[in-house]
Amino acid sequence: LTIIEAAINEGVRPAQSNYLKGLILIKLKKNTEAVEAFKKAKELDTSLTQQADFQIATVYVQEKEFKKAKEAFKGLMTVDPTSDWALFSKDYLEAIEKMPPPYRFILGVGLQYDDNALANPIDESLVDITKQEDWKRLYSLLGEYTVYEKGPWNMKASYSLNITQHDKSDYNKKNGTEKVFSQDTVSHTFSIMPSYNTETSVTSLLLSYNYLEVDYFKYKQSFTINPSYTFIIKGSNLGQVSFKYRRDEYDFNYNKRKFGAYLSKAEDRDANYFALGVGYIYTFKKGNGLFNVRLEGDINDADGPNWDYAGVKVSSGLLYPFIDNKFRANIFAEAYRQNYSNVHSIYKNIPRNTRKDDNYTAQASLTYTILKPLDISVGYTHLKTLSNIAVYEYKKNLYTLSLEYRF
């Protein structure tokens, strides 16, 4: 670059020197300066116009300014349709037209069998309702739009809706007269995520808001800030670090409406939640396969002392594709220890003084692409919690069949 700039300053073939300067600047990822050099080259020598305009158009592609790139390529094809630059432009235009749109939608429907719909404790004598099995209807919608994309910068906005409807509207207690209300849930999540992408890393910041209803009454709302940094270690080996802050606010009047009384202050679950995580990711099968391991530590600082805890979570997952990625197997396992900070206001005389939970999750699923935008999946999930407070110990099995359509 220094030699080329010296040639330009000395007036040695200035048009050609500016054109070469533009090519070097593209290699150096200095795209704005490269465009200026190409414009100067064609200003000094009109015979360089076509090739300079072609290089400017490729810069627009790199910067993800596809509208400008399409206009430039179309202009080159109009000026001289038989030239090499016009043929190259045609190839680029076809590639741009095949690129996915800046939006996507995913619709999902499913049926799930739950063998412990109320998460009854393993010792059923501790509660006034028997273990309940139930079928669930699952509905989901995800809409995502790329709000901004230029060079390494990207910003996506999304909305997701998840609805779970149980076959039974309520459940009878052991006394035969009282009922437990429906466990139907409706969840709305609004998110925005700016990111900065390079050839070796992705830095992102997820900002989201979630509104959750249970039995079609407002139950909880959450605000989340989640920055993360994903980077290439070597080849297909990636590392990731992340931090999460979430504010959970439970509706104060929910228990009054549903149970006829307000919760005690000790049971107030409004909380500031913090988590720090590190992970390792390995991709294979041309990026369609993935193995990951993750370690995360978290702290829940609740308004009610019964819900203060610190936890450690270890998880691992494997996605393995078959038959040109039309068939995919997915397995996931997680172990999560929660050490509660305070003596429970109700269960005071327990082993080890304060509550301690060990939560285990195991999942397996098979997905088959029926048509390019349509997948069918079958899955199994086992959940189990062991605790030194018996009422919090439970286990359940979930069996799921679902369809997902993307457009």
Side-chain angles (χ1 to χ4, degrees):
L1 184 60
T2 304
I3 296 171
I4 292 296
E5 287 180 337
I8 292 171
N9 292 333
E10 293 175 12
V12 178
R13 304 183 68 185
Q16 290 79 1
S17 295
N18 272 283
Y19 183 81
L20 289 173
K21 179 183 177 181
L23 295 176
I24 294 170
L25 289 168
I26 288 177
K27 295 289 186 182
L28 296 174
K29 306 295 184 184
K30 297 182 178 181
N31 290 339
T32 301
E33 295 175 46
V35 169
E36 293 304 315
F38 290 131
K39 287 181 178 179
K40 186 67 176 178
K42 67 178 185 176
E43 179 185 315
L44 293 170
D45 185 350
T46 55
S47 67
L48 294 174
T49 298
Q50 274 193 304
Q51 59 205 79
D53 283 343
F54 179 83
Q55 298 299 342
I56 291 171
T58 63
V59 170
Y60 290 150
V61 172
Q62 289 185 27
E63 292 291 311
K64 298 182 175 66
E65 296 186 71
F66 299 116
K67 185 176 180 180
K68 287 185 177 180
K70 287 170 71 173
E71 291 174 355
F73 287 132
K74 286 178 181 178
L76 284 163
M77 292 171 65
T78 303
V79 171
D80 187 356
T82 60
S83 70
D84 289 340
W85 301 112
L87 294 175
F88 296 150
S89 296
K90 183 181 177 183
D91 291 339
Y92 265 94
L93 271 175
E94 289 176 353
I96 292 172
E97 294 294 342
K98 291 178 182 177
M99 293 183 68
Y103 60 84
R104 66 175 180 136
F105 295 95
I106 301 176
L107 292 173
V109 294
L111 188 64
Q112 185 178 80
Y113 173 75
D114 186 339
D115 71 356
N116 188 4
L118 299 177
N120 272 38
I122 295 171
D123 183 353
E124 293 187 49
S125 67
L126 298 171
V127 293
D128 59 358
I129 188 167
T130 57
K131 182 180 177 182
Q132 300 290 321
E133 302 175 0
D134 206 352
W135 288 91
K136 305 175 187 178
R137 297 177 298 279
L138 311 176
Y139 307 96
S140 64
L141 166 67
L142 170 66
E144 183 181 83
Y145 183 74
T146 302
V147 178
Y148 178 81
E149 189 172 31
K150 183 176 181 181
W153 294 99
N154 180 289
M155 181 179 290
K156 296 181 184 294
S158 66
Y159 164 74
S160 65
L161 170 68
N162 289 278
I163 300 172
T164 300
Q165 293 181 329
H166 292 68
D167 187 52
K168 300 175 185 177
S169 59
D170 49 42
Y171 309 90
N172 292 321
K173 290 190 175 182
K174 289 177 180 177
N175 59 24
T177 57
E178 295 180 272
K179 294 181 181 293
V180 174
F181 60 85
S182 164
Q183 299 296 297
D184 292 355
T185 60
V186 180
S187 174
H188 305 267
T189 304
F190 303 87
S191 302
I192 188 165
M193 188 173 72
S195 64
Y196 183 83
N197 308 276
T198 71
E199 292 180 355
T200 58
S201 67
V202 177
T203 305
S204 64
L205 175 64
L206 174 64
L207 306 170
S208 69
Y209 167 75
N210 175 260
Y211 179 90
L212 176 65
E213 294 179 350
V214 177
D215 194 25
Y216 309 101
F217 284 94
K218 179 183 177 182
Y219 179 67
K220 184 179 76 167
Q221 56 183 343
S222 301
F223 305 86
T224 301
I225 301 172
N226 183 195
S228 68
Y229 177 66
T230 305
F231 56 95
I232 294 176
I233 300 171
K234 185 179 180 181
S236 299
N237 300 276
L238 291 82
Q240 186 180 71
V241 293
S242 65
F243 171 78
K244 180 189 289 185
Y245 166 75
R246 187 180 70 232
R247 175 63 187 176
D248 294 327
E249 295 184 357
Y250 291 78
D251 186 64
F252 181 72
N253 294 309
Y254 180 82
N255 270 68
K256 177 68 174 178
R257 287 195 299 264
K258 303 304 296 184
F259 302 110
Y262 291 109
L263 282 172
S264 67
K265 289 184 178 180
E267 282 290 300
D268 188 348
R269 297 181 68 176
D270 290 359
N272 293 306
Y273 174 86
F274 306 87
L276 182 65
V278 295
Y280 165 76
I281 303 166
Y282 175 72
T283 62
F284 57 95
K285 293 274 187 176
K286 299 180 181 179
N288 294 314
L290 184 145
F291 169 75
N292 76 288
V293 180
R294 185 171 178 80
L295 174 65
E296 188 171 283
D298 62 4
I299 295 173
N300 196 65
D301 181 16
D303 292 352
N306 284 351
W307 293 98
D308 286 341
Y309 66 80
V312 177
K313 186 184 298 182
V314 179
S315 63
S316 182
L318 174 67
L319 171 65
Y320 197 92
F322 302 90
I323 316 173
D324 296 327
N325 204 40
K326 290 193 70 175
F327 190 81
R328 300 175 296 282
N330 197 339
I331 58 174
F332 173 81
E334 179 182 275
Y336 182 25
R337 159 56 74 99
Q338 292 171 291
N339 293 314
Y340 286 78
S341 307
N342 306 303
V343 175
H344 200 283
S345 62
I346 300 172
Y347 308 102
K348 297 179 181 180
N349 299 317
I350 59 171
R352 293 180 288 174
N353 196 34
T354 60
R355 177 181 169 188
K356 291 173 173 49
D357 288 1
D358 289 314
N359 308 279
Y360 301 99
T361 302
Q363 294 177 318
S365 66
L366 295 172
T367 302
Y368 180 71
T369 300
I370 302 172
L371 302 170
K372 191 173 183 180
L374 181 64
D375 288 346
I376 184 169
S377 298
V378 291
Y380 167 74
T381 302
H382 177 74
L383 302 169
K384 185 174 184 179
T385 293
L386 301 177
S387 177
N388 59 338
I389 300 179
V391 75
Y392 294 114
E393 288 195 315
Y394 82 98
K395 60 182 178 179
K396 70 161 63 187
N397 297 288
L398 304 171
Y399 304 86
T400 308
L401 173 66
S402 61
L403 288 171
E404 187 176 270
Y405 184 78
R406 303 175 303 278
F407 60 96

mmCIF file of all heavy atoms in Angstrom, residues 25-47:
data_model
loop_
_atom_site.group_PDB
_atom_site.id
_atom_site.type_symbol
_atom_site.label_atom_id
_atom_site.label_comp_id
_atom_site.label_asym_id
_atom_site.label_seq_id
_atom_site.Cartn_x
_atom_site.Cartn_y
_atom_site.Cartn_z
ATOM 1 N N LEU A 25 -6.924 -2.235 -0.512
ATOM 2 C CA LEU A 25 -7.751 -1.820 0.625
ATOM 3 C C LEU A 25 -8.880 -2.811 0.906
ATOM 4 O O LEU A 25 -9.267 -3.013 2.057
ATOM 5 C CB LEU A 25 -8.322 -0.417 0.371
ATOM 6 C CG LEU A 25 -7.302 0.728 0.442
ATOM 7 C CD1 LEU A 25 -7.902 2.013 -0.113
ATOM 8 C CD2 LEU A 25 -6.824 0.927 1.882
ATOM 9 N N ILE A 26 -9.413 -3.455 -0.149
ATOM 10 C CA ILE A 26 -10.421 -4.502 0.061
ATOM 11 C C ILE A 26 -9.820 -5.648 0.868
ATOM 12 O O ILE A 26 -10.433 -6.159 1.813
ATOM 13 C CB ILE A 26 -10.972 -5.024 -1.285
ATOM 14 C CG1 ILE A 26 -11.879 -3.975 -1.934
ATOM 15 C CG2 ILE A 26 -11.751 -6.319 -1.078
ATOM 16 C CD1 ILE A 26 -12.399 -4.388 -3.296
ATOM 17 N N LYS A 27 -8.580 -6.048 0.504
ATOM 18 C CA LYS A 27 -7.910 -7.122 1.226
ATOM 19 C C LYS A 27 -7.683 -6.749 2.689
ATOM 20 O O LYS A 27 -7.714 -7.605 3.582
ATOM 21 C CB LYS A 27 -6.566 -7.447 0.566
ATOM 22 C CG LYS A 27 -6.664 -8.019 -0.840
ATOM 23 C CD LYS A 27 -7.207 -9.438 -0.816
ATOM 24 C CE LYS A 27 -7.168 -10.064 -2.197
ATOM 25 N NZ LYS A 27 -7.757 -11.439 -2.193
ATOM 26 N N LEU A 28 -7.468 -5.459 2.937
ATOM 27 C CA LEU A 28 -7.217 -4.971 4.298
ATOM 28 C C LEU A 28 -8.510 -4.668 5.050
ATOM 29 O O LEU A 28 -8.473 -4.168 6.167
ATOM 30 C CB LEU A 28 -6.345 -3.701 4.243
ATOM 31 C CG LEU A 28 -4.928 -3.873 3.677
ATOM 32 C CD1 LEU A 28 -4.236 -2.521 3.545
ATOM 33 C CD2 LEU A 28 -4.110 -4.813 4.565
ATOM 34 N N LYS A 29 -9.672 -4.983 4.422
ATOM 35 C CA LYS A 29 -10.986 -4.760 5.031
ATOM 36 C C LYS A 29 -11.287 -3.271 5.262
ATOM 37 O O LYS A 29 -12.096 -2.919 6.114
ATOM 38 C CB LYS A 29 -11.111 -5.501 6.376
ATOM 39 C CG LYS A 29 -10.806 -6.987 6.312
ATOM 40 C CD LYS A 29 -11.805 -7.740 5.448
ATOM 41 C CE LYS A 29 -11.561 -9.234 5.449
ATOM 42 N NZ LYS A 29 -12.464 -9.985 4.550
ATOM 43 N N LYS A 30 -10.634 -2.407 4.475
ATOM 44 C CA LYS A 30 -10.907 -0.970 4.562
ATOM 45 C C LYS A 30 -11.817 -0.594 3.392
ATOM 46 O O LYS A 30 -11.405 0.034 2.413
ATOM 47 C CB LYS A 30 -9.596 -0.176 4.527
ATOM 48 C CG LYS A 30 -8.685 -0.468 5.717
ATOM 49 C CD LYS A 30 -7.411 0.371 5.672
ATOM 50 C CE LYS A 30 -6.530 0.101 6.894
ATOM 51 N NZ LYS A 30 -5.281 0.919 6.881
ATOM 52 N N ASN A 31 -13.075 -1.012 3.509
ATOM 53 C CA ASN A 31 -13.987 -0.941 2.370
ATOM 54 C C ASN A 31 -14.369 0.479 1.969
ATOM 55 O O ASN A 31 -14.509 0.780 0.779
ATOM 56 C CB ASN A 31 -15.247 -1.761 2.668
ATOM 57 C CG ASN A 31 -14.953 -3.255 2.677
ATOM 58 O OD1 ASN A 31 -13.961 -3.702 2.108
ATOM 59 N ND2 ASN A 31 -15.810 -4.021 3.317
ATOM 60 N N THR A 32 -14.573 1.357 2.932
ATOM 61 C CA THR A 32 -14.955 2.735 2.610
ATOM 62 C C THR A 32 -13.855 3.424 1.805
ATOM 63 O O THR A 32 -14.116 4.094 0.798
ATOM 64 C CB THR A 32 -15.237 3.525 3.902
ATOM 65 O OG1 THR A 32 -16.280 2.870 4.627
ATOM 66 C CG2 THR A 32 -15.674 4.954 3.571
ATOM 67 N N GLU A 33 -12.596 3.247 2.239
ATOM 68 C CA GLU A 33 -11.465 3.838 1.521
ATOM 69 C C GLU A 33 -11.303 3.181 0.149
ATOM 70 O O GLU A 33 -10.914 3.849 -0.825
ATOM 71 C CB GLU A 33 -10.187 3.672 2.343
ATOM 72 C CG GLU A 33 -10.203 4.432 3.662
ATOM 73 C CD GLU A 33 -8.968 4.153 4.494
ATOM 74 O OE1 GLU A 33 -7.855 4.185 3.941
ATOM 75 O OE2 GLU A 33 -9.124 3.866 5.698
ATOM 76 N N ALA A 34 -11.610 1.897 0.048
ATOM 77 C CA ALA A 34 -11.494 1.195 -1.234
ATOM 78 C C ALA A 34 -12.465 1.780 -2.253
ATOM 79 O O ALA A 34 -12.103 2.007 -3.424
ATOM 80 C CB ALA A 34 -11.772 -0.290 -1.045
ATOM 81 N N VAL A 35 -13.692 2.046 -1.846
ATOM 82 C CA VAL A 35 -14.688 2.624 -2.751
ATOM 83 C C VAL A 35 -14.214 3.989 -3.260
ATOM 84 O O VAL A 35 -14.345 4.298 -4.457
ATOM 85 C CB VAL A 35 -16.053 2.754 -2.036
ATOM 86 C CG1 VAL A 35 -17.022 3.600 -2.870
ATOM 87 C CG2 VAL A 35 -16.649 1.371 -1.781
ATOM 88 N N GLU A 36 -13.647 4.780 -2.379
ATOM 89 C CA GLU A 36 -13.146 6.101 -2.788
ATOM 90 C C GLU A 36 -12.024 5.960 -3.815
ATOM 91 O O GLU A 36 -11.940 6.743 -4.779
ATOM 92 C CB GLU A 36 -12.653 6.881 -1.562
ATOM 93 C CG GLU A 36 -13.755 7.281 -0.593
ATOM 94 C CD GLU A 36 -14.851 8.094 -1.270
ATOM 95 O OE1 GLU A 36 -14.510 9.016 -2.048
ATOM 96 O OE2 GLU A 36 -16.037 7.802 -1.034
ATOM 97 N N ALA A 37 -11.156 4.964 -3.627
ATOM 98 C CA ALA A 37 -10.053 4.750 -4.577
ATOM 99 C C ALA A 37 -10.589 4.336 -5.939
ATOM 100 O O ALA A 37 -10.109 4.818 -6.993
ATOM 101 C CB ALA A 37 -9.095 3.698 -4.026
ATOM 102 N N PHE A 38 -11.590 3.456 -5.980
ATOM 103 C CA PHE A 38 -12.167 3.022 -7.259
ATOM 104 C C PHE A 38 -12.872 4.191 -7.961
ATOM 105 O O PHE A 38 -12.806 4.322 -9.189
ATOM 106 C CB PHE A 38 -13.143 1.873 -7.031
ATOM 107 C CG PHE A 38 -12.481 0.579 -6.627
ATOM 108 C CD1 PHE A 38 -12.937 -0.144 -5.524
ATOM 109 C CD2 PHE A 38 -11.399 0.079 -7.351
ATOM 110 C CE1 PHE A 38 -12.330 -1.328 -5.160
ATOM 111 C CE2 PHE A 38 -10.786 -1.115 -6.979
ATOM 112 C CZ PHE A 38 -11.250 -1.814 -5.886
ATOM 113 N N LYS A 39 -13.561 5.012 -7.209
ATOM 114 C CA LYS A 39 -14.226 6.178 -7.800
ATOM 115 C C LYS A 39 -13.210 7.136 -8.398
ATOM 116 O O LYS A 39 -13.422 7.710 -9.477
ATOM 117 C CB LYS A 39 -15.066 6.891 -6.737
ATOM 118 C CG LYS A 39 -16.343 6.155 -6.346
ATOM 119 C CD LYS A 39 -17.133 6.924 -5.302
ATOM 120 C CE LYS A 39 -18.442 6.201 -4.961
ATOM 121 N NZ LYS A 39 -19.216 6.930 -3.916
ATOM 122 N N LYS A 40 -12.094 7.302 -7.705
ATOM 123 C CA LYS A 40 -11.038 8.180 -8.215
ATOM 124 C C LYS A 40 -10.430 7.597 -9.495
ATOM 125 O O LYS A 40 -10.140 8.338 -10.452
ATOM 126 C CB LYS A 40 -9.951 8.334 -7.143
ATOM 127 C CG LYS A 40 -8.866 9.337 -7.495
ATOM 128 C CD LYS A 40 -9.415 10.757 -7.552
ATOM 129 C CE LYS A 40 -8.301 11.751 -7.798
ATOM 130 N NZ LYS A 40 -8.812 13.144 -7.899
ATOM 131 N N ALA A 41 -10.256 6.267 -9.532
ATOM 132 C CA ALA A 41 -9.660 5.609 -10.698
ATOM 133 C C ALA A 41 -10.513 5.837 -11.946
ATOM 134 O O ALA A 41 -9.986 6.191 -13.018
ATOM 135 C CB ALA A 41 -9.496 4.114 -10.421
ATOM 136 N N LYS A 42 -11.831 5.648 -11.840
ATOM 137 C CA LYS A 42 -12.673 5.817 -13.033
ATOM 138 C C LYS A 42 -12.861 7.276 -13.398
ATOM 139 O O LYS A 42 -13.126 7.605 -14.557
ATOM 140 C CB LYS A 42 -14.019 5.126 -12.837
ATOM 141 C CG LYS A 42 -14.935 5.720 -11.785
ATOM 142 C CD LYS A 42 -16.250 4.948 -11.734
ATOM 143 C CE LYS A 42 -17.251 5.581 -10.770
ATOM 144 N NZ LYS A 42 -18.557 4.885 -10.789
ATOM 145 N N GLU A 43 -12.675 8.156 -12.427
ATOM 146 C CA GLU A 43 -12.728 9.589 -12.727
ATOM 147 C C GLU A 43 -11.522 9.999 -13.563
ATOM 148 O O GLU A 43 -11.629 10.831 -14.472
ATOM 149 C CB GLU A 43 -12.752 10.366 -11.404
ATOM 150 C CG GLU A 43 -12.775 11.878 -11.547
ATOM 151 C CD GLU A 43 -12.670 12.585 -10.196
ATOM 152 O OE1 GLU A 43 -13.366 12.170 -9.250
ATOM 153 O OE2 GLU A 43 -11.879 13.535 -10.101
ATOM 154 N N LEU A 44 -10.366 9.379 -13.261
ATOM 155 C CA LEU A 44 -9.129 9.711 -13.987
ATOM 156 C C LEU A 44 -9.043 9.019 -15.328
ATOM 157 O O LEU A 44 -8.380 9.511 -16.254
ATOM 158 C CB LEU A 44 -7.914 9.328 -13.127
ATOM 159 C CG LEU A 44 -7.724 10.140 -11.831
ATOM 160 C CD1 LEU A 44 -6.645 9.511 -10.962
ATOM 161 C CD2 LEU A 44 -7.367 11.586 -12.156
ATOM 162 N N ASP A 45 -9.697 7.850 -15.450
ATOM 163 C CA ASP A 45 -9.630 7.096 -16.707
ATOM 164 C C ASP A 45 -10.959 6.383 -16.907
ATOM 165 O O ASP A 45 -11.237 5.375 -16.252
ATOM 166 C CB ASP A 45 -8.477 6.093 -16.658
ATOM 167 C CG ASP A 45 -8.270 5.367 -17.987
ATOM 168 O OD1 ASP A 45 -9.137 5.504 -18.882
ATOM 169 O OD2 ASP A 45 -7.264 4.635 -18.106
ATOM 170 N N THR A 46 -11.794 6.871 -17.806
ATOM 171 C CA THR A 46 -13.136 6.314 -18.016
ATOM 172 C C THR A 46 -13.094 4.877 -18.531
ATOM 173 O O THR A 46 -14.084 4.151 -18.407
ATOM 174 C CB THR A 46 -13.929 7.181 -19.010
ATOM 175 O OG1 THR A 46 -13.183 7.304 -20.233
ATOM 176 C CG2 THR A 46 -14.201 8.563 -18.438
ATOM 177 N N SER A 47 -11.968 4.439 -19.073
ATOM 178 C CA SER A 47 -11.881 3.053 -19.550
ATOM 179 C C SER A 47 -11.881 2.056 -18.384
ATOM 180 O O SER A 47 -12.092 0.853 -18.573
ATOM 181 C CB SER A 47 -10.620 2.851 -20.395
ATOM 182 O OG SER A 47 -9.447 2.973 -19.604
#
